[in-house]
Amino acid sequence: MRAAVIQFPGSNCDLDLMNALKELKFEATLVSHEATDLSEFDAIFIPGGFSFGDYLRSGAVARFSPIIAAIKKAAAAGKLVVGICNGFQILTEAGLLPGQLMMNEHPGFICDEADLEIVNPDSRFTNQYQKQFITIPVAHGEGRYVADATTIAALDKNHQIIFKYRKNINGSINNIAGISNKVGNVFGMMPHPERAIEAMISSDDGRAFFTSILNK
Amino acid sequence: MYLGKVYVSYKPSVFDPQGDVIKKSLNQLGFQNIGQVKQGKYFEIKLTDDSFEEAEANLKKFTEELLINPNTETYQYDIVEDEK
Amino acid sequence: MYLGKVYVSYKPSVFDPQGDVIKKSLNQLGFQNIGQVKQGKYFEIKLTDDSFEEAEANLKKFTEELLINPNTETYQYDIVEDEK
Amino acid sequence: MTSVPDLMKDEFTPEQIKENQIYLQWSLTEPEYDLICERLGRLPNYTETGLFAAMWSEHCSYKKSKPVLRKFWSENERVLQGPGEGAGVLDIGDNQAVVFKAESHNHPSAVEPYEGAATGVGGIIRDIFSMGAQPIAILDSLRFGEIEDNQTKHLINGIVAGIAGYGNALGIPTVGGDMALDKTYQKNPLVNAMAVGILDHEDLHVGQANGVGNRILYIGAKTGRDGIHGATFASSDFDSSEEQNRSAVQVGDPFLEKLVMDTTIAAIKKFKKAIVGVQDMGAAGLVSSSAEMAGKAGNGVHLNLDLVPQRETNLTPYELMLSESQERMLMVVKEDQMEAISQLFFKQGLEAVDIGAVTDDGKYVLTFEDQVVTDLQVKDLLTPPKQKMPTKAPARVLAPVGQNEYLEVEKDFANVLDKMLQQSTVASKRDLFRHYDSMVRTDTVIRPGGDAGVVRIKGTKKALAMTTDVNGRKVFLNPKIGGQLAVAEAAQNIVCTGATPIGITDCLNFGDPDDPEIYYELEQACAGINDFAKQLNTPIISGNVSLYNETDGKAIYPTPMVGMVGLLADVNKATTIDFKNAGDLIYLVGE
Ligand SMILES: Nc1ncnc2c1ncn2[C@@H]1O[C@H](COP(=O)(O)OP(=O)(O)O)[C@@H](O)[C@H]1O
């Protein structure tokens, strides 16, 4: 699978994500936020970090980069678009996913390992998991998922909630850790599966996330 | 020259953890007559538009496009003449 | 009941990296008539003091003690009556 | 100067500086001022006096600590670069090297916890990548007063948030550190940061202005009025009632630093030969970086201050030279590649401006609005008068009292253990280091919470272990033994991960060195560190000195932080502290 990893100024998990994708046999390429064409890729990954310093609001400035139009086009064409951490924030700011990521309930950055529940095991991001509970690192200061009640109800009904925190570490509504759009091809999550592909570094529970994507 | 001032605050329904922390610290410091505290953002933007009307139209436009997230935030603004 | 509004901004000499980034994005979005942009903080605080004078004295005191960093920031404020 | 530029008309004249002893406000002593006049053969002007004051401050010149530092052992088979550069460098095989250094930001953090700590991290990271290395880890060593104190809480929260705010955004993991609380640090917290990087041998760059005719490239952020006086500020006692020092606040921008870091490393890789020297603009910004680079190469420099990028208007030469605006670097480059190198920075929206040239006359010349505003010898700026530092052993060290009085016999061990674990210094710091991104770059094998942080080197089986340690109370009781113990503790932490200690950096936090008892502490603690460093074959390859850690005349415990790095040949053999299986045997090893 040909994957693009988008580099914004201030992205800092871009290389980690590249490593993970290569390890899992994606054909991965770094693409600048100023690029305008993503037609040669099957999947677009937006990495974690602090795009444009996360100034104003996380993801708020990145949303105006030239690449966003191309990402929207790819999403509309049914390609996979995956935002991790800052990538998730960018996708909500850009309107590709509903809701918003706000400051953690207890202000301050947290870096830890989070236990997640796979709520929708049939999604394009979870279909290879053989278990319901996994451990994936988190690292964020603005990861509290917020959306209005109607949106949350719709997410629930359409099985768009893919991952939940088992223990609510940041105050997200309904413990939401990762969601997809209605069609199921655009996805965002705060935890970092790219940090979980080797037991030596953390867990290897992130591998099945990537193999699920390869499996489509 | 105009000076635009934009005050951004969370919509009433949105939980503001910073406001909460500040309220608690104020209480700890001995300030008891404190109700709700909300922390928002304050922007000062120099506008070089020719007329007040243009300045105002632009300010509203870019505030809604960039400065706020309309899902959770609202804003108020002032525009004043600025010498230089 | 009073509503205190506190506007905090950086002193002119203090570097405001956020303001710089916001100015650049406004330019990129096509807003060209933009001079300096500064981002500060905006607080809304409900004050249950009995009198305006008390409310004002407290607001000034806690703003200087807690809300601002006197090394880098200055503030302005408004106090208005608040129904409830 | 034939005519005085308008902006400089309000400055004190050379005569006024002498008559009214203005130099005293800049912490130059009268004999120092007289020596400057003698060397120049004239009175220094305002700008020049300011340059001397900054360059002769302890912070920049180490004039008082040098006699002690010179004794540090810093050579063995691994050392590629010892003290004197941005950071020290050790060979770790496979044509790779590890680069590390520690730095203090105590005074700025006391005044301005968040920004002080954040800019401390920014500065130490620049020291690492200015050598051509990729930073791979940060450690922090913190000392605060008792936790019950509100001001202490404010400091802890601000400082931890500042380190997190900067390091996390940069994308360099914070993998370890240490923290202790004692009332000796109540008003004078210690904020020491250490950074570790790696490079391939051929990418090693030092901060030297070699090659007459080479251009001097100003890189990174624009210059504002931040932190003017920072160096002299760090070199004088901290008077808690003094508000005036507040002009010294610098604000960091990790977003910009990441761009500067990534681009500098890329530039060095791409233009190995054309980039001759690189240095970070740290304390006393432009003057210290340019003068030191020239001095190390034995050359002169000529800078045109009209070309320095400015964030504010109307900066004077004095302000331009002494500003401590963050995220700025100086590069010496060959003229024919200058355009190409600059382009790399322009593309990222960064400044890259040719502000001058390396000259062969050994002079330090500054022009401003077409006037020569400074004309000195580089070596004069870099050689403050040698100091004789008297020492005196404190009575408490010579004849400790009450040692035999401690006879209490404790029977209730559970209670003691319980009490110990509640001690703020002993208690887990997890709630604090949880704010640090310790995993970004996905190489952190052992995160904070163990004995030492362990970071593997991708593409090899190797890993580096790293730790910071010192117990100020023990150094206070016996400086020499305390110094030895700091090294011993660091080594134990490294060894516990399975790694072999290979080198040391330090951060010497002491009180006023003019007090002979404090100078004794400094001298003895360093002797102790040196002793054990030799025995362990861990040369001291870099470090930093922070003196005048006093509040209202009272010094902190002498606190020479030891940062140690170890090498682990096979990362799969790294050992962690947790008990693994029920039924495993527990051994007590040692005496
Ligand atoms: N300020 C800090 N920053 C990062 N890690 C810290 C900090 N303080 C303590 N730690 C971590 O907590 C653990 C225990 O620290 P410490 O009590 O100093 O250990 P030790 O007594 O083994 O030296 C170590 O893993 C250390 O890295």
Side-chain angles (χ1 to χ4, degrees), chain D residues 138-144 160 163 174-180 425-430 432-433 436 446-453 466-469 489 493 577:
Chain D
I138 299 167
L139 297 95
D140 62 332
S141 179
L142 309 176
R143 296 292 179 276
F144 297 103
V160 169
I163 293 168
T174 302
V175 303
D178 70 319
M179 179 170 162
T425 296
V426 176
S428 166
K429 311 297 183 303
R430 187 166 184 278
L432 296 174
F433 62 66
Y436 303 149
I446 300 184
R447 303 206 294 268
D451 291 299
M466 48 201 80
T467 182
T468 60
D469 291 284
E489 188 186 348
N493 281 330
I577 61 167

Side-chain angles (χ1 to χ4, degrees), chain A residues 16 55 109 111-112 198, chain D residues 253 430 434-435 441 456:
Chain A
D16 296 348
Y55 295 142
F109 193 97
C111 173
D112 216 328
E198 287 171 89
Chain D
D253 182 0
R430 187 166 184 278
R434 197 167 174 248
H435 293 305
R441 295 181 61 78
R456 70 161 168 203

